[in-house]
Amino acid sequence: MTTHEFRYASHPVDARSYGTEELRNHFLIETLFEADNIKLTYSMYDRYIVGGAMPTNEALKLETIPYLKSENFLDRREMGVINVGGKGKITVDGEVFELSKKEALYIGKECKDVIFEAVDGEQPLFYINSAPAHTKFPNKKVGKEDAEVIELGDEKYANKRILNKLLVNSIVKTCQLQMGLTELLPGNVWNTMPAHTHSRRMEAYFYFDLEAGQTISHFMGEPEHTRHIFLQSNQAVLSPEWSIHSGSGTSNYSFIWGMAGENLDYGDMDFCAPDELK
C-alpha cells in the first residue's frame, strides 16, 4: 500500500506569523513509518517527495500517486533511499539490492517496479527522498565504506560530528537529488552550526537514533526571524530555500539531509554567524 499527503510552499513573510500548530502542519512530517505501508509527502518545494517504507509482513511495491500524473512513480523522477532500520532489500526491475542500516541506494528515472522487503526477520525502515529528473542515470548502492567522510565541529561547541556524503554527485550521477547522513558524537548535540541557507535548493531533514525520552529542537526561518519545532526520533522537517536549518538535541543523534534544486555543489551555502541569529 502507498499513501500520500500534499504540502504547499510558504512565503517567508507569512511564516513569521505561524504559531506552533501552523509550523508543525506546514513543515513537520510527523509519521514516516507505518507497518506494511509506503507513506509519502509531496511538497511544492522543488516538487520534492519525502517518505518511508516499512515492509513488515509483506513486500511493498512503490505505486504512483495522483500528483505525478504518470503511469509509474519514477517515469519522470529519481529517488534516493537510506535504510535506518534492520536489514532489508529493494528490488528494482528485477535487480536486488540488499541494504543494512545506514546504507543507501540511488534509483534512476524510468525504473518501473520498485519493491521493498524485509530480510532474515529483521525490520528495515527505508527513508525515501525523490525529485524530478530529466535524465536516466544508473541505479547504484552506496555503503558507508563508499561514502565521502568529513569530520566537522568541535567538542568545545558541542557540535563534533561525522558527515557521510552518500548520494552526492562526486559518488553517484544524479540530476538534482543529493543525500547524506550526519552522526553527532556522544556528548555533542548541535548540528549544522553555524547555520546557513542556500537559496538555490531546498532541503529535508530526517532525525533518527535519538535516545528514548529525549527530544530535538529543529531551528528554521529567516536568520533574523527564527522559529523552532520540537521533534522525536524518525520524524522529518521540510526546509524551504529561504530558511536556515539547524538543530540541537537533549542527547546526541543522527540525521539525514536530502536536497534538490538547481545547484549540485554541496558547498554552495550562505552562512549565518551564531551571534547574528535572531
Side-chain angles (χ1 to χ4, degrees), residues 15 197 219-227 239-240 242-245:
T197 61
F219 295 95
M220 61 166 296
E222 301 161 281
E224 66 278 12
H225 295 281
T226 58
R227 298 291 184 269
S239 182
W242 46 261
S243 175
I244 65 166
H245 35 273

Side-chain angles (χ1 to χ4, degrees), residues 191-197 219 244-246 269-274 277:
N191 77 68
T192 320
M193 184 56 70
H196 62 265
T197 61
F219 295 95
I244 65 166
H245 35 273
S246 182
M269 305 175 192
D270 300 317
F271 286 97
C272 312
L277 297 171

Side-chain angles (χ1 to χ4, degrees), residues 82 127 161-164 180-184 190-192 203-209 216 235 245 247 253-258:
I82 299 178
Y127 176 62
R161 56 202 190 274
I162 306 297
L163 186 151
N164 302 277
L181 190 157
T182 300
E183 302 162 290
L184 275 291
W190 277 100
N191 77 68
T192 320
E203 194 159 356
Y205 262 40
F206 169 77
Y207 294 93
F208 69 108
D209 277 356
I216 296 166
Q235 293 183 340
H245 35 273
Y253 51 91
S254 297
F255 67 95
I256 293 170
W257 42 269

Side-chain angles (χ1 to χ4, degrees), residues 97-200:
F97 300 91
E98 192 167 289
L99 268 63
S100 296
K101 187 172 184 179
K102 297 183 178 179
E103 292 189 319
L105 177 65
Y106 173 79
I107 306 174
K109 174 178 177 282
E110 299 174 9
C111 291
K112 306 295 184 187
D113 295 317
V114 180
I115 300 171
F116 301 91
E117 296 179 77
V119 172
D120 299 332
E122 298 191 31
Q123 180 57 75
L125 299 172
F126 296 110
Y127 176 62
I128 297 168
N129 283 189
S130 174
H134 58 272
T135 301
K136 177 178 175 60
F137 289 114
N139 305 329
K140 184 176 180 179
K141 174 183 172 180
V142 180
K144 287 197 70 177
E145 68 279 2
D146 304 312
E148 288 185 18
V149 180
I150 303 173
E151 294 187 13
L152 297 171
D154 193 313
E155 295 275 3
K156 178 181 178 180
Y157 300 112
N159 65 359
K160 193 166 186 179
R161 56 202 190 274
I162 306 297
L163 186 151
N164 302 277
K165 294 184 182 181
L166 295 170
L167 304 182
V168 298
N169 61 335
S170 56
I171 297 176
V172 180
K173 288 185 177 181
T174 72
C175 289
Q176 60 170 324
L177 180 68
Q178 306 276 281
M179 295 179 73
L181 190 157
T182 300
E183 302 162 290
L184 275 291
L185 299 182
N188 293 268
V189 295
W190 277 100
N191 77 68
T192 320
M193 184 56 70
H196 62 265
T197 61
H198 29 65
S199 59
R200 292 148 297 278

Side-chain angles (χ1 to χ4, degrees), residues 24-43:
R24 296 176 73 86
N25 287 341
H26 280 285
F27 302 109
L28 174 65
I29 303 175
E30 199 162 6
T31 304
L32 280 146
F33 299 113
E34 293 178 343
D36 294 323
N37 189 23
I38 301 173
K39 188 172 173 62
L40 304 171
T41 297
Y42 183 100
S43 162

